[in-house]
Amino acid sequence: MRYAFRIRFHRSPTDSINIEAPTVDLPSLAPGDRVQLRAWDKDKAVKDSERLVLIGEGFASEETATRAGDLYWRVLLRTMAHVRVGADFGDRAPKGAFTTYGLQWLEAQRGERVLNDVHGMMVFAADPWPRFASTSATALRGVPPDRFERTFRRALETTWS
């Protein structure tokens, strides 16, 4: 059994890492280890993706993958700080949206192993390579037109009085 680590992070929308490809191989410490920076969305180049993933593969144990993930996380933090690209590594983010039963349901639907798409670092068995499940929601609060106009009128009246 081989293990991997995965560090998902969000880069600042006002910064970019100008890599034209969706994936780039990075240097690693040991032969047989593979480290890559990937766009979260496989159809985008790294430079166009605000969500990025650092993947390390080829570790003989969960413990080795965890130690390597911690080391590469520190390397990534230093690199991002040095090149002045802002990044959110999920220190305060929820670690997953799906329950065990939700993941089992997704696995039954897809016919393959599914893990939560953790914002931050995770270590997992790499054989077979899993899919990563995530959800997102954006709330939109609306203001009724009559309230907007009424408030605008009051602000106009109090500004000129």
Side-chain angles (χ1 to χ4, degrees):
M1 173 82 49
R2 304 300 282 172
Y3 290 85
F5 69 81
R6 180 178 185 265
I7 303 167
R8 180 170 65 84
F9 63 101
H10 300 179
R11 81 161 164 77
S12 164
T14 59
D15 298 316
S16 183
I17 302 169
N18 294 333
I19 296 171
E20 300 284 341
T23 303
V24 62
D25 290 323
L26 296 172
S28 64
L29 291 175
D33 295 351
R34 181 174 167 195
V35 178
Q36 288 186 322
L37 180 64
R38 299 178 184 174
W40 183 81
D41 182 344
K42 293 176 173 84
D43 296 331
K44 289 186 175 182
V46 168
K47 72 180 184 78
D48 298 323
S49 184
E50 286 185 27
R51 286 199 238 178
L52 299 167
V53 182
L54 185 73
I55 300 278
E57 300 178 63
F59 303 99
S61 70
E62 187 173 359
E63 181 183 339
T64 305
T66 300
R67 281 196 317 267
D70 288 339
L71 182 141
Y72 283 104
W73 191 337
R74 291 191 311 271
V75 169
L76 181 60
L77 284 168
R78 291 181 69 184
T79 301
M80 298 298 280
H82 188 77
V83 298
R84 294 183 174 188
V85 172
D88 173 6
F89 289 94
D91 294 338
R92 295 184 186 112
K95 295 303 175 199
F98 292 94
T99 65
T100 302
Y101 297 111
L103 292 172
Q104 289 171 351
W105 180 82
L106 287 170
E107 287 176 353
Q109 299 300 309
R110 303 236 5 131
E112 57 190 326
R113 189 166 62 122
V114 179
L115 301 175
N116 269 310
D117 184 18
V118 172
H119 185 175
M121 189 179 89
M122 63 186 297
V123 173
F124 53 92
D127 300 315
W129 193 262
R131 300 283 280 188
F132 296 94
S134 65
T135 62
S136 65
T138 302
L140 178 64
R141 187 183 69 81
V143 177
D146 61 324
R147 182 170 178 221
F148 179 83
E149 291 172 21
R150 188 174 57 247
T151 304
F152 187 89
R153 182 175 290 110
R154 282 188 203 139
L156 180 63
E157 291 167 359
T158 58
T159 301
W160 292 105
S161 5

